[in-house]
PDB file of all heavy atoms in Angstrom:
ATOM      1  N   SER Q 961     -17.803   6.383  10.101  1.00 97.00           N
ATOM      2  CA  SER Q 961     -16.853   6.864   9.157  1.00 97.00           C
ATOM      3  C   SER Q 961     -15.398   6.842   9.678  1.00 97.00           C
ATOM      4  O   SER Q 961     -15.241   6.856  10.861  1.00 97.00           O
ATOM      5  CB  SER Q 961     -17.096   8.424   8.757  1.00 97.00           C
ATOM      6  OG  SER Q 961     -18.231   8.527   7.928  1.00 97.00           O
ATOM      7  N   THR Q 962     -14.529   6.686   8.777  1.00 95.00           N
ATOM      8  CA  THR Q 962     -13.143   6.757   8.998  1.00 95.00           C
ATOM      9  C   THR Q 962     -12.451   7.805   8.090  1.00 95.00           C
ATOM     10  O   THR Q 962     -12.949   8.099   7.103  1.00 95.00           O
ATOM     11  CB  THR Q 962     -12.393   5.308   8.788  1.00 95.00           C
ATOM     12  OG1 THR Q 962     -12.726   4.943   7.525  1.00 95.00           O
ATOM     13  CG2 THR Q 962     -12.863   4.401   9.918  1.00 95.00           C
ATOM     14  N   LYS Q 963     -11.256   8.172   8.572  1.00 93.00           N
ATOM     15  CA  LYS Q 963     -10.310   8.892   7.668  1.00 93.00           C
ATOM     16  C   LYS Q 963      -9.093   8.131   7.628  1.00 93.00           C
ATOM     17  O   LYS Q 963      -8.642   7.509   8.806  1.00 93.00           O
ATOM     18  CB  LYS Q 963     -10.203  10.402   7.977  1.00 93.00           C
ATOM     19  CG  LYS Q 963      -9.563  10.671   9.321  1.00 93.00           C
ATOM     20  CD  LYS Q 963      -8.134  11.045   9.398  1.00 93.00           C
ATOM     21  CE  LYS Q 963      -7.452  11.511   8.211  1.00 93.00           C
ATOM     22  NZ  LYS Q 963      -6.065  11.517   8.323  1.00 93.00           N
ATOM     23  N   GLY Q 964      -8.315   8.037   6.653  1.00 85.00           N
ATOM     24  CA  GLY Q 964      -6.993   7.436   6.560  1.00 85.00           C
ATOM     25  C   GLY Q 964      -5.942   8.533   6.450  1.00 85.00           C
ATOM     26  O   GLY Q 964      -6.050   9.463   7.102  1.00 85.00           O
ATOM     27  N   VAL Q 965      -4.818   8.221   5.733  1.00 70.00           N
ATOM     28  CA  VAL Q 965      -4.623   7.028   4.877  1.00 70.00           C
ATOM     29  C   VAL Q 965      -3.162   6.834   4.646  1.00 70.00           C
ATOM     30  O   VAL Q 965      -2.867   5.833   4.113  1.00 70.00           O
ATOM     31  CB  VAL Q 965      -5.210   7.232   3.354  1.00 70.00           C
ATOM     32  CG1 VAL Q 965      -6.668   7.163   3.534  1.00 70.00           C
ATOM     33  CG2 VAL Q 965      -4.746   8.581   2.888  1.00 70.00           C
ATOM     34  N   GLY Q 966      -2.171   7.694   5.196  1.00 61.00           N
ATOM     35  CA  GLY Q 966      -0.697   7.233   5.304  1.00 61.00           C
ATOM     36  C   GLY Q 966      -0.537   6.682   6.615  1.00 61.00           C
ATOM     37  O   GLY Q 966      -1.474   6.610   7.564  1.00 61.00           O
ATOM     38  N   MET Q 967       0.627   6.274   6.918  1.00 53.00           N
ATOM     39  CA  MET Q 967       1.010   5.786   8.276  1.00 53.00           C
ATOM     40  C   MET Q 967       0.049   4.957   8.878  1.00 53.00           C
ATOM     41  O   MET Q 967      -0.364   5.192  10.018  1.00 53.00           O
ATOM     42  CB  MET Q 967       1.259   7.091   9.179  1.00 53.00           C
ATOM     43  CG  MET Q 967       2.401   7.955   8.611  1.00 53.00           C
ATOM     44  SD  MET Q 967       3.157   8.880   9.988  1.00 53.00           S
ATOM     45  CE  MET Q 967       1.709   9.897  10.649  1.00 53.00           C
ATOM     46  N   ILE Q 968      -0.301   3.762   8.228  1.00 48.00           N
ATOM     47  CA  ILE Q 968      -1.340   2.911   8.780  1.00 48.00           C
ATOM     48  C   ILE Q 968      -0.641   1.671   9.203  1.00 48.00           C
ATOM     49  O   ILE Q 968      -0.774   0.614   8.538  1.00 48.00           O
ATOM     50  CB  ILE Q 968      -2.450   2.745   7.768  1.00 48.00           C
ATOM     51  CG1 ILE Q 968      -3.012   4.007   7.360  1.00 48.00           C
ATOM     52  CG2 ILE Q 968      -3.470   1.867   8.303  1.00 48.00           C
ATOM     53  CD1 ILE Q 968      -4.439   4.041   7.035  1.00 48.00           C
ATOM     54  N   TYR Q 969       0.084   1.599  10.254  1.00 47.00           N
ATOM     55  CA  TYR Q 969       0.787   0.448  10.751  1.00 47.00           C
ATOM     56  C   TYR Q 969       1.557   0.690  11.918  1.00 47.00           C
ATOM     57  O   TYR Q 969       2.000   1.904  12.122  1.00 47.00           O
ATOM     58  CB  TYR Q 969       1.661  -0.073   9.579  1.00 47.00           C
ATOM     59  CG  TYR Q 969       2.159  -1.595   9.817  1.00 47.00           C
ATOM     60  CD1 TYR Q 969       1.382  -2.618   9.313  1.00 47.00           C
ATOM     61  CD2 TYR Q 969       3.318  -1.788  10.566  1.00 47.00           C
ATOM     62  CE1 TYR Q 969       1.807  -3.906   9.495  1.00 47.00           C
ATOM     63  CE2 TYR Q 969       3.721  -3.197  10.722  1.00 47.00           C
ATOM     64  CZ  TYR Q 969       3.015  -4.175  10.206  1.00 47.00           C
ATOM     65  OH  TYR Q 969       3.454  -5.442  10.325  1.00 47.00           O
ATOM     66  N   PRO Q 970       1.806  -0.194  12.899  1.00 42.00           N
ATOM     67  CA  PRO Q 970       1.372  -1.500  12.945  1.00 42.00           C
ATOM     68  C   PRO Q 970       0.035  -1.659  13.849  1.00 42.00           C
ATOM     69  O   PRO Q 970      -0.567  -2.598  13.739  1.00 42.00           O
ATOM     70  CB  PRO Q 970       2.370  -2.252  13.712  1.00 42.00           C
ATOM     71  CG  PRO Q 970       3.022  -1.259  14.475  1.00 42.00           C
ATOM     72  CD  PRO Q 970       2.718   0.156  13.902  1.00 42.00           C
ATOM     73  N   ASN Q 971      -0.321  -0.601  14.512  1.00 44.00           N
ATOM     74  CA  ASN Q 971      -1.507  -0.729  15.237  1.00 44.00           C
ATOM     75  C   ASN Q 971      -2.358   0.455  14.844  1.00 44.00           C
ATOM     76  O   ASN Q 971      -1.899   1.696  15.028  1.00 44.00           O
ATOM     77  CB  ASN Q 971      -1.298  -0.739  16.777  1.00 44.00           C
ATOM     78  CG  ASN Q 971      -0.694  -1.971  17.215  1.00 44.00           C
ATOM     79  OD1 ASN Q 971      -1.254  -3.074  16.956  1.00 44.00           O
ATOM     80  ND2 ASN Q 971       0.498  -1.823  17.746  1.00 44.00           N
ATOM     81  N   MET Q 972      -3.583   0.247  14.344  1.00 42.00           N
ATOM     82  CA  MET Q 972      -4.384   1.361  13.885  1.00 42.00           C
ATOM     83  C   MET Q 972      -3.666   1.998  12.746  1.00 42.00           C
ATOM     84  O   MET Q 972      -2.999   1.464  11.922  1.00 42.00           O
ATOM     85  CB  MET Q 972      -4.769   2.232  15.075  1.00 42.00           C
ATOM     86  CG  MET Q 972      -5.581   1.374  16.118  1.00 42.00           C
ATOM     87  SD  MET Q 972      -6.231   2.457  17.430  1.00 42.00           S
ATOM     88  CE  MET Q 972      -7.426   3.344  16.555  1.00 42.00           C
ATOM     89  N   ALA Q 973      -3.731   3.358  12.719  1.00 45.00           N
ATOM     90  CA  ALA Q 973      -3.385   4.045  11.481  1.00 45.00           C
ATOM     91  C   ALA Q 973      -3.384   5.492  11.794  1.00 45.00           C
ATOM     92  O   ALA Q 973      -3.542   6.065  12.827  1.00 45.00           O
ATOM     93  CB  ALA Q 973      -4.565   3.846  10.509  1.00 45.00           C
ATOM     94  N   THR Q 974      -2.888   6.334  10.657  1.00 68.00           N
ATOM     95  CA  THR Q 974      -3.190   7.758  10.736  1.00 68.00           C
ATOM     96  C   THR Q 974      -4.714   7.808  10.572  1.00 68.00           C
ATOM     97  O   THR Q 974      -5.073   8.182   9.470  1.00 68.00           O
ATOM     98  CB  THR Q 974      -2.593   8.502   9.690  1.00 68.00           C
ATOM     99  OG1 THR Q 974      -1.033   8.294   9.824  1.00 68.00           O
ATOM    100  CG2 THR Q 974      -2.729  10.026   9.830  1.00 68.00           C
ATOM    101  N   MET Q 975      -5.372   7.328  11.423  1.00 88.00           N
ATOM    102  CA  MET Q 975      -6.815   7.193  11.141  1.00 88.00           C
ATOM    103  C   MET Q 975      -7.580   7.693  12.266  1.00 88.00           C
ATOM    104  O   MET Q 975      -7.181   7.747  13.525  1.00 88.00           O
ATOM    105  CB  MET Q 975      -7.052   5.728  10.989  1.00 88.00           C
ATOM    106  CG  MET Q 975      -6.774   4.826  12.191  1.00 88.00           C
ATOM    107  SD  MET Q 975      -7.618   3.180  12.096  1.00 88.00           S
ATOM    108  CE  MET Q 975      -9.285   3.678  12.538  1.00 88.00           C
ATOM    109  N   LEU Q 976      -8.786   8.101  12.008  1.00 93.00           N
ATOM    110  CA  LEU Q 976      -9.827   8.477  13.027  1.00 93.00           C
ATOM    111  C   LEU Q 976     -11.059   7.625  12.578  1.00 93.00           C
ATOM    112  O   LEU Q 976     -11.321   7.402  11.427  1.00 93.00           O
ATOM    113  CB  LEU Q 976     -10.164  10.027  12.971  1.00 93.00           C
ATOM    114  CG  LEU Q 976      -8.937  10.862  13.245  1.00 93.00           C
ATOM    115  CD1 LEU Q 976      -9.393  12.363  13.047  1.00 93.00           C
ATOM    116  CD2 LEU Q 976      -8.436  10.713  14.619  1.00 93.00           C
ATOM    117  N   CYS Q 977     -11.735   7.120  13.590  1.00 96.00           N
ATOM    118  CA  CYS Q 977     -12.959   6.374  13.329  1.00 96.00           C
ATOM    119  C   CYS Q 977     -14.028   6.634  14.303  1.00 96.00           C
ATOM    120  O   CYS Q 977     -13.718   6.677  15.502  1.00 96.00           O
ATOM    121  CB  CYS Q 977     -12.610   4.808  13.409  1.00 96.00           C
ATOM    122  SG  CYS Q 977     -14.034   3.805  13.340  1.00 96.00           S
ATOM    123  N   TYR Q 978     -15.252   6.910  13.836  1.00 98.00           N
ATOM    124  CA  TYR Q 978     -16.404   7.157  14.655  1.00 98.00           C
ATOM    125  C   TYR Q 978     -17.553   6.312  14.203  1.00 98.00           C
ATOM    126  O   TYR Q 978     -17.912   6.299  13.102  1.00 98.00           O
ATOM    127  CB  TYR Q 978     -16.765   8.648  14.518  1.00 98.00           C
ATOM    128  CG  TYR Q 978     -15.606   9.631  14.684  1.00 98.00           C
ATOM    129  CD1 TYR Q 978     -14.813   9.975  13.614  1.00 98.00           C
ATOM    130  CD2 TYR Q 978     -15.205   9.999  15.960  1.00 98.00           C
ATOM    131  CE1 TYR Q 978     -13.710  10.745  13.813  1.00 98.00           C
ATOM    132  CE2 TYR Q 978     -14.076  10.782  16.133  1.00 98.00           C
ATOM    133  CZ  TYR Q 978     -13.375  11.178  15.044  1.00 98.00           C
ATOM    134  OH  TYR Q 978     -12.151  11.934  15.261  1.00 98.00           O
TER     135      TYR Q 978
END
Side-chain angles (χ1 to χ4, degrees):
Chain Q
S961 284
T962 52
K963 62 101 19 193
V965 286
M967 297 207 297
I968 304 210
Y969 195 89
N971 290 299
M972 303 184 64
T974 303
M975 61 163 284
L976 301 173
C977 171
Y978 308 90

